């Protein structure tokens, strides 16, 4: 990677890493605190869902705000709002006030991701997007693992200490972005493919994206509840959650390479069946700490790989001109799944006990096995057209990072093999939603200031 490309990407990635350390254990912290206060799994699920509702709302509207005030000011505003909501949670305890604060925090957090991902998108063309996405993944997952490991350390410092640390990190993440040149990429309002169009084009991709949102959100918000209720300390809960995220980071590439060499519908069936087995083992096996860690490592690899394989399968089917809008639409579907997941699964835990989490995981995974098997019998998957691309972006701008040169070329080649005009009509080409600044936008005068020569 060139020094120029690294220099352009370093500031947003460093900001992401700093913010991600705190954001990595915030969901776990809120779950264990609510449980320690005696709140039911249903209440915990409702509060947890607020964050994902905020993410979904922010993904739909934050780009308009970004257009008005510019990237750097937007980042400072969003990161400061994240810090304020977290610090307020540390000042007083009330589940319904926390619901509102988590809603606002989710909205602000996705604004931070929008700034970072749109900036990365303009750091290079399609030829280097794969490397940028890999750097983004490393920053996101590494900060998540480190954050979970810090949960026990900060919790031992006092009741409010974890919230203070997260607020400090959110504020500190502004510094790298504040020191880069005041250059603002152009970003246009995204227009994802509508859900009905997506279902027509790729039912398997839609179901995989929806299901992935459900199981990943449950892993982040309700798995810590399960771990604490089986007798683990806060420090041990953080360590086990770090193992889950580590599994997600290390197993995506092997699973992705498997999907490059085989029918991706078979891979989706295999991942889902594997999650059924893990869920059964979590329910029925006597769990020692090493066995629990091993199962959670494998579970993290399975549930986090579901979405990128589903998106890759959808890309095998999509016309080249619809790839960007398709990725954006599947991201929206994924967000919907994450929003409804805690609301659906937490009552199961209330009714069936702590093991209800894995009864829900197992049931969902079994449904996916049956659905993907049915889809394969109705319409076998096309041959994979491009290398597997890990998918972690949180916004519509970031979804465009997934559309690499190899993916575009593969889609163009596939169009010669199959007439797709009936699947996605009236789609010839899609302009990127993010681009370099125009000549008259190389400098943004903040607050209508006029720079003067100070001697």
């Amino acid at each position: 990677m060139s020094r120029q490309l690294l220099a352009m990407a370093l500031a947003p990635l460093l900001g992401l890493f700093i913010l991600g350390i705190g954001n990595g254990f915030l969901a776990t912290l809120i779950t264990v605190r609510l449980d320690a206060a005696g709140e039911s799994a249903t209440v915990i699920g409702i509060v947890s869902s607020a964050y994902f509702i905020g993410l979904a709302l922010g993904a739909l509207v934050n780009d308009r705000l970004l257009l008005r005030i510019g990237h750097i000011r937007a980042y400072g505003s969003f990161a400061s709002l994240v810090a304020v909501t977290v610090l307020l949670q540390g000042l007083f305890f009330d589940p319904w006030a926390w619901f509102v604060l988590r809603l606002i925090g989710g909205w602000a957090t996705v604004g931070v991701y929008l700034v970072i991902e749109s900036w990365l998108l303009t750091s290079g063309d399609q030829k280097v997007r794969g490397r940028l996405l890999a750097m983004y993944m490393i920053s996101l997952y590494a900060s998540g693992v480190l954050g979970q490991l810090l949960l026990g350390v900060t919790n031992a410092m006092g009741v409010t200490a974890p919230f203070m640390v997260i607020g400090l990190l959110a504020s500190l993440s502004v510094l790298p972005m504040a020191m880069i040149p005041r250059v603002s990429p152009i970003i246009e309002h995204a227009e994802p493919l509508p859900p009905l169009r997506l279902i027509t084009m790729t039912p398997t991709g839609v179901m995989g994206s929806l299901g992935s949102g459900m199981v990943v959100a449950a892993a982040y918000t309700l798995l810590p509840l399960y771990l604490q209720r089986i007798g683990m300390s806060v420090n041990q809960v953080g360590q086990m959650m770090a193992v889950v995220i580590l599994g997600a980071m290390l197993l995506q590439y092997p699973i992705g390479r498997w999907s490059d060499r085989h029918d991706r519908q078979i891979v989706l069936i295999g991942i889902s069946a594997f999650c059924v087995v893990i869920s059964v083992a979590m329910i029925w096996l006597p769990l020692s700490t090493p066995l629990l860690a091993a199962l959670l490592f494998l579970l993290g690899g399975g549930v986090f790989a579901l979405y990128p394989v589903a998106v890759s399968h959808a890309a095998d089917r999509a016309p080249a001109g619809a790839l960007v809008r398709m990725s954006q639409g599947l991201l929206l579907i994924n967000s919907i799944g994450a929003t409804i997941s805690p609301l659906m699964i937490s009552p199961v835990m209330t009714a069936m006990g702590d093991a209800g989490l894995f009864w829900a995981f197992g049931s969902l995974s079994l449904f996916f096995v049956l659905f993907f098997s049915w889809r394969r019998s109705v319409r076998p998957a096309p041959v994979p057209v491009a290398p597997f691309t890990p998918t972690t972006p949180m916004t519509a701008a970031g979804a465009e990072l997934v559309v690499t040169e190899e993916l575009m070329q593969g889609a163009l080649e596939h169009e010669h093999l199959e007439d797709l005009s009936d699947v996605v009509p009236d789609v010839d080409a899609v302009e990127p939603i993010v681009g370099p600044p125009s000549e008259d936008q190389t400098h943004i005068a903040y607050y209508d200031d006029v720079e003067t020569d100070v001697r």
Side-chain angles (χ1 to χ4, degrees):
M1 180 175 292
S2 68
R3 291 183 179 179
Q4 181 181 5
L5 180 60
L6 181 60
M8 292 182 68
L10 183 59
L13 289 175
L14 183 57
L16 171 69
F17 182 78
I18 295 172
L19 181 80
I21 294 173
N23 201 49
F25 72 88
L26 180 57
T28 304
L29 173 65
I30 289 172
T31 296
V32 298
R33 286 292 174 86
L34 288 170
D35 181 54
E39 301 295 339
S40 67
T42 301
V43 171
I44 294 173
I46 293 172
V47 174
S48 299
S49 69
Y51 174 75
F52 297 103
I53 295 172
L55 287 180
L57 293 176
L60 294 174
V61 303
N62 280 352
D63 51 356
R64 297 183 177 92
L65 180 60
L66 199 58
L67 284 169
R68 290 178 177 271
I69 66 176
H71 279 60
I72 299 174
R73 277 194 291 170
Y75 188 96
S77 301
F78 287 130
S80 298
L81 192 55
V82 170
V84 168
T85 58
V86 173
L87 292 173
L88 284 174
Q89 287 180 267
L91 286 177
F92 65 93
F93 177 85
D94 180 83
W96 304 114
W98 278 22
F99 177 92
V100 175
L101 292 172
R102 286 297 279 162
L103 179 67
I104 298 172
W107 175 80
T109 300
V110 81
V112 169
Y113 286 122
L114 177 61
V115 174
I116 292 171
E117 292 174 3
S118 60
W119 202 284
L120 288 177
L121 194 59
T122 58
S123 298
D125 55 21
Q126 287 183 339
K127 295 180 181 179
V128 297
R129 283 182 185 173
R131 283 176 282 175
L132 287 171
L133 187 60
M135 294 170 62
Y136 180 91
M137 278 190 59
I138 292 171
S139 299
L140 192 64
Y141 282 125
S143 64
V145 172
L146 180 58
Q148 296 289 351
L149 293 175
L150 286 177
L151 174 61
V153 176
T154 58
N155 190 70
M157 296 166 62
V159 176
T160 61
F163 297 99
M164 295 175 62
V165 170
I166 296 170
L168 289 171
L169 289 169
S171 299
L172 187 62
S173 73
V174 177
L175 293 181
M177 293 295 292
M179 290 188 287
I180 62 179
R182 290 186 290 182
V183 177
S184 187
I186 298 172
I187 180 170
E188 299 177 3
H189 182 60
E191 294 185 2
L193 283 179
L196 291 179
R197 187 75 64 83
L198 281 170
I199 292 172
T200 301
M201 183 177 73
T202 172
T204 297
V206 169
M207 184 56 67
S209 300
L210 180 70
S212 171
M214 295 179 69
V215 293
V216 169
Y220 271 124
T221 60
L222 297 177
L223 181 56
L225 175 62
Y226 168 83
L227 294 172
Q228 181 160 275
R229 287 187 173 179
I230 64 173
M232 288 195 161
S233 66
V234 173
N235 186 51
Q236 290 174 316
V237 170
Q239 292 172 354
M240 288 298 170
M241 291 301 298
V243 167
V244 174
I245 299 173
L246 188 64
M249 181 172 67
L250 297 181
L251 295 183
Q252 272 201 47
Y253 275 105
I255 294 174
R257 292 295 172 256
W258 175 35
S259 76
D260 283 342
R261 297 179 176 87
H262 298 84
D263 181 339
R264 285 197 169 112
Q265 285 176 316
I266 291 293
V267 176
L268 289 169
I269 294 170
I271 293 173
S272 302
F274 180 73
C275 289
V276 172
V277 173
I278 295 295
S279 298
V280 171
M282 292 291 295
I283 293 171
W284 294 108
L285 291 182
L287 297 176
S288 61
T289 299
L291 178 59
L292 177 62
L295 290 174
L296 291 179
F297 179 86
L298 296 174
L299 182 68
V303 298
F304 280 84
L306 186 62
Y307 179 58
V309 174
V311 173
S312 296
H313 165 80
D316 293 337
R317 173 75 173 145
L323 283 173
V324 173
R325 293 180 62 193
M326 179 213 70
S327 298
Q328 295 161 355
L330 292 179
L331 181 63
L332 178 60
I333 297 294
N334 184 260
S335 299
I336 293 172
T339 299
I340 65 176
S341 171
L343 298 174
M344 292 178 58
I345 296 179
S346 57
V348 178
M349 295 184 69
T350 299
M352 302 183 64
D354 306 330
L357 173 63
F358 291 100
W359 281 108
F361 269 162
S363 300
L364 283 172
S365 299
L366 181 60
F367 171 78
F368 298 149
V369 170
L370 298 175
F371 181 86
F372 296 145
S373 299
W374 168 67
R375 285 305 305 168
R376 189 171 187 275
S377 68
V378 172
R379 186 178 183 84
V383 176
V385 299
F388 167 85
T389 302
T391 306
T392 55
M394 305 288 290
T395 69
E400 194 175 342
L401 279 170
V402 179
V403 184
T404 61
E405 185 179 41
E406 294 83 0
L407 186 62
M408 183 67 71
Q409 183 61 37
L412 289 171
E413 293 175 359
H414 182 244
E415 288 180 2
H416 296 297
L417 303 176
E418 183 178 3
D419 180 13
L420 300 173
S421 59
D422 61 326
V423 180
V424 188
D426 304 323
V427 176
D428 296 320
V430 176
E431 295 296 328
I433 64 171
V434 176
S438 59
E439 293 182 0
D440 62 345
Q441 289 182 304
T442 55
H443 170 75
I444 297 177
Y446 284 35
Y447 308 106
D448 298 323
D449 62 329
V450 178
E451 293 192 352
T452 58
D453 185 12
V454 179
R455 299 181 184 275

